[in-house]
Coordinates of all heavy atoms in Angstrom, one line a residue:
I59 N 137.8 153.8 78.1 CA 137.1 152.5 78.4 C 137.9 151.7 79.5 O 139.1 151.6 79.3 CB 136.9 151.6 77.2 CG1 136.0 152.4 76.1 CG2 136.2 150.3 77.5 CD1 135.9 151.7 74.8
N71 N 137.2 140.2 106.0 CA 137.4 140.7 107.4 C 138.9 140.5 107.8 O 139.1 140.2 109.0 CB 136.5 139.8 108.3 CG 135.8 140.7 109.3 OD1 135.8 141.9 109.2 ND2 135.2 140.1 110.3
A93 N 133.1 162.8 76.5 CA 132.3 164.1 76.3 C 131.4 163.9 75.1 O 131.9 163.4 74.1 CB 133.2 165.3 76.2
P96 N 128.5 169.5 75.0 CA 128.8 170.2 76.3 C 128.6 169.3 77.5 O 128.9 169.7 78.6 CB 127.7 171.3 76.3 CG 126.6 170.7 75.6 CD 127.1 169.8 74.5
L97 N 128.2 168.0 77.3 CA 128.0 167.1 78.4 C 129.2 166.2 78.6 O 129.8 165.7 77.6 CB 126.8 166.2 78.2 CG 125.4 167.0 78.0 CD1 124.3 166.0 77.6 CD2 125.1 167.8 79.2
N106 N 128.3 140.0 89.0 CA 128.8 138.9 89.9 C 129.4 137.8 89.0 O 128.6 137.1 88.3 CB 127.6 138.4 90.8 CG 128.0 137.2 91.6 OD1 129.2 137.0 91.9 ND2 127.1 136.4 92.0
G120 N 117.0 146.9 117.6 CA 117.9 148.0 117.8 C 119.4 147.7 117.5 O 120.2 148.5 117.7
D144 N 128.2 172.2 82.4 CA 128.6 173.5 82.9 C 128.2 174.6 82.0 O 128.5 174.6 80.8 CB 130.2 173.5 83.0 CG 130.7 172.6 84.1 OD1 130.0 172.6 85.2 OD2 131.7 171.9 83.9
P160 N 120.5 141.0 95.9 CA 120.7 141.8 97.1 C 122.0 142.6 97.1 O 122.7 142.6 98.1 CB 120.7 140.7 98.2 CG 121.5 139.6 97.5 CD 121.2 139.7 96.0
P164 N 123.4 147.9 103.3 CA 122.2 147.1 103.5 C 121.1 147.4 102.5 O 121.1 148.5 102.0 CB 121.7 147.6 104.9 CG 122.3 149.0 105.0 CD 123.6 148.9 104.3
D193 N 113.7 154.9 94.1 CA 112.5 154.1 93.6 C 112.7 152.6 94.0 O 113.7 152.0 93.6 CB 112.4 154.2 92.1 CG 111.2 153.5 91.6 OD1 110.4 152.9 92.3 OD2 110.9 153.6 90.3
T208 N 130.9 176.8 100.7 CA 132.3 176.6 100.8 C 133.0 177.9 100.7 O 132.8 178.7 99.7 CB 132.8 175.6 99.8 OG1 132.1 174.4 99.8 CG2 134.3 175.3 100.0
F239 N 139.9 180.4 112.7 CA 138.9 180.9 113.7 C 139.6 181.8 114.7 O 139.0 182.8 115.2 CB 138.2 179.7 114.3 CG 137.3 180.1 115.4 CD1 136.1 180.8 115.2 CD2 137.6 179.7 116.7 CE1 135.3 181.1 116.3 CE2 136.8 180.0 117.8 CZ 135.6 180.7 117.6
D249 N 141.6 176.2 113.5 CA 140.4 175.9 112.7 C 139.4 175.2 113.7 O 139.8 174.4 114.5 CB 140.7 175.1 111.5 CG 141.5 175.8 110.5 OD1 141.7 177.0 110.6 OD2 142.1 175.1 109.6
V282 N 123.6 166.0 125.9 CA 122.6 165.3 126.6 C 121.3 166.2 126.6 O 121.4 167.3 127.0 CB 123.0 165.0 128.1 CG1 121.8 164.3 128.8 CG2 124.2 164.1 128.1
T293 N 128.2 164.5 127.0 CA 128.9 163.2 127.2 C 130.1 163.1 126.3 O 129.9 163.1 125.1 CB 127.9 162.0 127.0 OG1 126.9 162.1 128.0 CG2 128.7 160.7 127.2
N307 N 154.5 162.0 106.7 CA 154.8 161.5 108.1 C 153.8 162.1 109.1 O 153.6 163.3 109.1 CB 156.2 161.9 108.5 CG 157.3 161.4 107.5 OD1 157.2 160.2 107.1 ND2 158.2 162.2 107.2
G369 N 149.0 141.7 129.5 CA 149.6 142.6 128.5 C 150.4 143.7 129.2 O 149.9 144.5 130.0
S381 N 154.3 149.5 101.8 CA 154.4 149.4 100.4 C 155.8 149.8 100.0 O 156.2 150.9 100.3 CB 153.4 150.3 99.7 OG 153.5 150.2 98.3
P405 N 147.4 135.9 114.8 CA 148.5 136.6 114.0 C 148.3 136.3 112.6 O 148.1 135.2 112.1 CB 149.8 135.9 114.6 CG 149.3 134.6 115.2 CD 147.9 134.8 115.6
G410 N 152.1 140.7 99.1 CA 151.6 140.9 97.8 C 152.4 141.8 96.9 O 153.5 142.2 97.3

Side-chain angles (χ1 to χ4, degrees):
I59 300 175
N71 222 14
L97 301 176
N106 173 21
D144 290 319
D193 186 354
T208 305
F239 172 70
D249 294 345
V282 180
T293 300
N307 301 318
S381 176

